[in-house]
Amino acid sequence: MASQTLTLSTWAARRRPDEDIFDRTLRGDPVAFSEVYRRYQKRIYGYCLARSLDPDTAADATQEVFMRLLRADPGSIDNPRAWLFTVARNIVIDVGRKRARTPEDAAADDDSLAWDRLKATDTADEVLARSDARDVFVALRSLRPRYRTALVMREIHGESAKDMADALETTPGAVDTLVSRARDAFGA
């Protein structure tokens, strides 16, 4: 019976608006937290990955975002989506600052990138796909962080200008300009 109730609660949570789900999460509802995580985990991870260009850093930052959500005070979040992305941005910036203080860690990370370790059993298509992914990754890495973030949010996650504006703390018109400039810089 308890699992059936949980299933019904989960189903009901999926129909609720973000503000309600966030409010319930802040009041300690585990089903609501699960729903927030389901809705936003991939987006937050993608955002953190776009900013940090490191999967491990992005995973750690994503985890920290949701931990901070659990520690936030009830009623303290007016715009849940913007809050998540703002916290994610701040965490990634903090990680970048810490890495800047320890350059030997950054060099070790560069040496261990997955595409640098080809296996003898990889097919030609896998090698070419990995090479294409590496080219895109290198091109993204050359962009300014704000351009990279805007491009990933729009092109990979399909975010609207309004949602991006909330996350980037700007206007929808400025987001369109930012994405256009990012595309130009990416193509150059």
Side-chain angles (χ1 to χ4, degrees):
M1 184 73 166
S3 65
Q4 187 177 24
T5 303
L6 181 61
T7 303
L8 291 175
S9 296
T10 302
W11 181 79
R14 290 188 178 190
R15 301 181 69 199
R16 296 189 180 280
D18 282 353
E19 291 77 13
D20 184 42
I21 293 297
F22 273 83
D23 186 53
R24 288 172 179 261
T25 296
L26 296 176
R27 296 185 193 289
D29 183 346
V31 173
F33 176 77
S34 176
E35 180 60 18
V36 169
Y37 190 82
R38 186 191 70 77
R39 289 182 190 181
Y40 288 99
Q41 184 273 333
K42 288 180 183 175
R43 294 176 189 172
I44 297 298
Y45 174 80
Y47 178 82
C48 293
L49 183 60
R51 299 277 309 196
S52 69
L53 296 176
D54 177 48
D56 293 333
T57 299
D60 290 345
T62 301
Q63 178 180 339
E64 182 62 25
V65 168
F66 287 101
M67 292 302 296
R68 289 188 186 182
L69 175 63
L70 288 173
R71 292 190 300 258
D73 293 328
S76 65
I77 300 174
D78 294 328
N79 185 338
R81 185 181 187 98
W83 185 90
L84 286 174
F85 283 102
T86 300
V87 170
R89 184 190 70 227
N90 293 340
I91 291 169
V92 171
I93 288 170
D94 290 345
V95 168
R97 287 180 185 149
K98 287 178 187 172
R99 281 217 172 130
R101 286 185 232 134
T102 57
E104 66 279 354
D105 291 343
D109 287 344
D110 287 342
D111 292 339
S112 66
L113 294 173
W115 55 73
D116 289 338
R117 292 175 279 162
L118 295 176
K119 297 177 186 169
T121 59
D122 286 346
T123 66
D125 289 340
E126 289 170 334
V127 172
L128 288 174
R130 193 174 293 127
S131 175
D132 289 345
R134 181 174 189 224
D135 292 344
V136 169
F137 184 80
V138 169
L140 282 171
R141 190 176 197 150
S142 69
L143 294 177
R144 292 178 27 198
R146 192 160 173 88
Y147 284 0
R148 182 173 55 239
T149 300
L151 199 59
V152 168
M153 288 180 79
R154 173 66 56 86
E155 301 300 334
I156 295 175
H157 295 289
E159 299 287 341
S160 70
K162 181 186 178 307
D163 291 338
M164 289 175 63
D166 288 344
L168 298 172
E169 297 178 341
T170 189
T171 65
V175 164
D176 291 336
T177 301
L178 186 63
V179 169
S180 177
R181 289 179 182 167
R183 286 177 180 151
D184 290 344
F186 186 78

